[in-house]
Amino acid sequence: MLIMLRIKKEMKVAVGDATAQIVTFQVGQEEFGLNIDVITEALRPLKITPLPHMPRFIEGVINLRGMIIPVVDLRKRFGLANIQNDPRKMRMIITRGAVHGGAGAAQGLLGLVVDTVREVLHVPAREIGPAPEAATSGQAGFIAGVAKVADRLVIILDIGKVLSGEERTALTEAGHVHP
């Protein structure tokens, strides 16, 4: 059964301020965010069909209303320790723009397994800084910036860089995503 989440909106700012709407979620002890424009929905995890010869963090694919969508476990992608997941809190976020979709079934969609989805924040653009230099190269090139929200920091992800070019190619060759 597919259950949609209603994500609450908080942190409103004064009219006239340029703001970004950031959907926040937790992976391990850290809070991450994605621009709301790249998210199509958040739902309880669906049954994942494993794919052979994929990187460890690519869990496989799901069938969401007839669309075949690859799924990445962000805990594994970020190299965090595996824990016993609480299925009541665990969520899957479906995003667009992560893979270069086209005529294929997935149409550029990617599923992300996260520990919990938290909220939608309206963050003033002036409160979003660039990613620290150490976090923009190598394996962490998917970090787009850091948002300062009250007394916490939210790591903003660039969904287009969660998968490397090589990983997108592996999915394409597996026949599930078209470049």
Side-chain angles (χ1 to χ4, degrees), residues 38 57 91 94 99 101-102 112 114 127 172:
V38 302
F57 58 85
R91 295 292 181 258
I94 307 299
V99 290
L112 304 175
V114 302
E127 297 297 324
T172 300

Side-chain angles (χ1 to χ4, degrees), residues 108-132:
L109 299 177
L110 180 68
L112 304 175
V113 176
V114 302
D115 295 338
T116 60
V117 175
R118 297 194 61 191
E119 60 192 328
V120 176
L121 299 175
H122 295 258
V123 182
R126 68 180 177 278
E127 297 297 324
I128 301 174

Side-chain angles (χ1 to χ4, degrees), residues 95-158:
T95 65
R96 63 178 154 263
V99 290
H100 301 292
Q107 299 177 4
L109 299 177
L110 180 68
L112 304 175
V113 176
V114 302
D115 295 338
T116 60
V117 175
R118 297 194 61 191
E119 60 192 328
V120 176
L121 299 175
H122 295 258
V123 182
R126 68 180 177 278
E127 297 297 324
I128 301 174
E133 194 170 321
T136 58
S137 62
Q139 296 293 334
F142 47 77
I143 299 175
V146 178
K148 295 170 265 188
V149 181
D151 62 342
R152 65 192 214 250
L153 296 176
V154 178
I155 301 167
I156 308 297
L157 302 179
D158 179 343

Side-chain angles (χ1 to χ4, degrees), residues 1-2 43-48 62-65 92 94:
M1 176 179 5
L2 179 68
L43 48 105
R44 292 182 190 216
L46 302 173
K47 180 182 180 314
I48 298 172
I62 59 170
N63 181 348
L64 180 63
R65 295 184 294 278
M92 189 176 287
I94 307 299

Side-chain angles (χ1 to χ4, degrees), residues 16-85:
D17 284 352
T19 63
Q21 286 186 307
I22 306 294
V23 175
T24 65
F25 52 91
Q26 194 150 355
V27 179
Q29 297 299 311
E30 301 302 322
E31 187 174 13
F32 295 89
L34 284 168
N35 188 302
I36 199 167
D37 294 336
V38 302
I39 296 176
T40 62
E41 59 190 293
L43 48 105
R44 292 182 190 216
L46 302 173
K47 180 182 180 314
I48 298 172
T49 302
L51 293 175
H53 307 294
M54 289 289 117
R56 180 171 104 61
F57 58 85
I58 297 178
E59 293 287 300
V61 293
I62 59 170
N63 181 348
L64 180 63
R65 295 184 294 278
M67 293 184 295
I68 304 303
I69 301 171
V71 176
V72 170
D73 183 326
L74 286 185
R75 181 177 284 280
K76 292 177 183 177
R77 177 66 173 118
F78 297 160
L80 301 174
N82 282 337
I83 61 165
Q84 181 64 34
N85 290 320

